[in-house]
């Protein structure tokens, strides 16, 4: 249906450009000569490593989240059931109207 269009060079030049490019190499880290060096190098502090999710929920927060999800499911279910009921009532009323119209249109032909 929808397909990506890959550009095609009508006159090949012999230069092949890869579709996937790699990230540039990281900058080299300066190494120290020895532990008792007199040149007073400073080493950058390592970046802090964080593990786990960024948001931590308390038990009350988890309970509120579950309760909110249950309320959303119940509300959406009620809306869908009411829409289905509205369609069913509309279909039944259209069927009754069709039967009444059919009987009204056929009754004069029987009286002749």
């Amino acid at each position: 249906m929808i397909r990506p269009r890959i550009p095609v060079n009508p006159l090949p030049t012999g230069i092949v450009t890869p579709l996937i490019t790699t990230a540039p190499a990281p900058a080299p880290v300066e190494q120290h000569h020895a532990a008792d060096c007199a040149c007073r190098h400073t080493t950058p502090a390592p970046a802090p490593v964080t593990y786990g999710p960024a948001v931590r929920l308390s038990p009350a927060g988890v309970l509120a989240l579950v309760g909110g999800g249950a309320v959303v499911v119940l509300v959406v279910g009620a809306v869908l059931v009411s829409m289905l009921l509205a369609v069913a009532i509309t279909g039944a009323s259209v069927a009754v109207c069709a039967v009444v119209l059919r009987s009204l249109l056929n009754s004069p032909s029987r009286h002749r």
Side-chain angles (χ1 to χ4, degrees):
M1 205 167 162
I2 297 176
R3 295 189 179 139
R5 306 239 184 241
I6 299 174
V8 178
N9 189 1
L11 300 171
T13 59
I15 300 171
V16 178
T17 305
L19 294 177
I20 301 173
T21 58
T22 58
V29 178
E30 183 179 336
Q31 299 293 327
H32 289 292
H33 316 168
D36 55 352
C37 179
C39 57
R40 298 178 191 254
H41 290 283
T42 58
T43 59
V49 178
T50 58
Y51 295 103
V55 177
R56 296 190 185 267
L57 293 176
S58 66
V62 171
L63 188 62
L65 190 63
V66 169
V71 167
V72 166
V73 167
L74 289 175
V75 168
V76 169
V79 167
L80 291 178
V81 167
S82 64
M83 288 173 65
L84 180 64
L85 186 62
V87 168
I89 291 172
T90 303
S93 65
V94 167
V96 168
C97 289
V99 168
V100 169
L101 282 175
R102 182 177 169 191
S103 68
L104 286 175
L105 291 175
N106 286 338
S107 62
S109 62
R110 289 185 184 169
H111 291 285
R112 286 185 186 180

